[in-house]
Amino acid sequence: MVVVSRLAGELFITLGLVMLLFVGYQLWYTNFLAGRTADDAAGSLLENWDRDPAGAAAPPVAAAFEPGQGFAILYIPKLDVKVPVAEGTNKAKVLDKGMVGHYSEAPLATGMPADRQGNFALAGHRNTHGEPFRYINRLVPGDKIVVETRDAYYTYETSAQLAQTPPSNVAVIKPVPAGSGFTAPGRYITLTTCTPEFTSTYRLIVWGRMTAERPRSQGAPPELTSP
């Protein structure tokens, strides 16, 4: 009995250590890796845009990008968020790399910032793997969201939030998103993430309306330069 008790104790200690290591990996190391990957991706985008600004000959469309390809940078000044936006919402290719994913695949395909009308809908992790959308629940009407592309800066103003909805509620990313308060076509942005924290049971939604468009050649908008 003494031997069995000792073996059982050692087994529980080992299991406890393994669990602690796993939690540490999920909560810290995935954020470290994803953050580094996302920073590199954002840096590469900016470098390419500065080297080839003439690429703005035509507004970007979703079909122009490969799944997993970065094409924009999302800024949320209130939350100190700067994260690259990639095509598609594939977990391994996009979200787990710390990037934000654009809903671009049918039947959930959504618009692009340059579209004259449409809803630019994005998904991002709330916990682990960079967790770019961890605190989007703190956004309130009037808070700014900025999207930078090769051609322009697009500024959106937060207008509404849905604290919890089932993942099956895809109407929240429609061109005129259900529940947003918008009643007519316009130029919108939708941020989606999992909720409650550390679960994927429901989705948290934040909507915004575009308020300004500024050519990138004119420099960053005040939302990104004001202290």
Side-chain angles (χ1 to χ4, degrees):
M1 289 296 294
V2 172
V3 172
V4 171
S5 297
R6 286 178 177 174
L7 289 174
E10 291 176 0
L11 177 61
F12 283 126
I13 290 172
T14 301
L15 288 174
L17 289 173
V18 170
M19 291 179 66
L20 284 174
L21 289 172
F22 178 75
V23 170
Y25 170 80
Q26 286 290 327
L27 297 183
W28 179 79
Y29 196 62
T30 62
N31 283 340
F32 169 76
L33 289 179
R36 186 171 62 182
T37 301
D39 287 345
D40 289 346
S44 295
L45 281 173
L46 293 171
E47 183 178 340
N48 290 337
W49 294 342
D50 290 338
R51 185 172 59 244
D52 183 26
V61 295
F65 302 106
E66 297 293 329
Q69 180 182 356
F71 65 88
I73 298 175
L74 176 75
Y75 301 87
I76 308 178
K78 179 178 180 177
L79 305 180
D80 196 27
V81 167
K82 174 186 176 183
V83 59
V85 180
E87 191 70 350
T89 57
N90 182 274
K91 190 172 183 292
K93 292 182 178 180
V94 178
L95 303 184
D96 284 358
K97 291 185 176 180
M99 296 186 285
V100 168
H102 169 230
Y103 287 95
S104 60
E105 299 178 0
L108 303 181
T110 65
M112 296 289 278
D115 294 344
R116 293 299 94 187
Q117 289 185 349
N119 182 18
F120 184 48
L122 306 173
H125 277 310
R126 192 172 187 191
N127 299 110
T128 72
H129 298 91
E131 50 195 37
F133 283 177
R134 180 167 189 179
Y135 298 114
I136 64 170
N137 61 306
R138 298 181 180 179
L139 294 175
V140 298
D143 286 336
K144 298 299 191 286
I145 301 170
V146 180
V147 176
E148 179 183 9
T149 69
R150 182 192 299 270
D151 305 327
Y153 290 94
Y154 302 91
T155 300
Y156 300 82
E157 186 174 283
T158 301
S159 58
Q161 182 182 131
L162 179 60
Q164 183 173 294
T165 192
S168 58
N169 182 14
V170 297
V172 298
I173 62 171
K174 284 186 174 182
V176 182
S180 63
F182 303 138
T183 58
R187 302 177 76 178
Y188 307 127
I189 191 169
T190 301
L191 311 181
T192 73
T193 194
C194 294
T195 197
E197 290 197 60
F198 301 103
T199 75
S200 57
T201 308
Y202 299 103
R203 297 294 181 267
L204 165 66
I205 314 296
V206 173
W207 292 289
R209 182 197 302 270
M210 190 181 296
T211 57
E213 178 179 350
R214 179 189 184 98
R216 194 166 178 270
S217 60
Q218 294 183 8
E223 290 79 10
L224 301 183
T225 57
S226 300

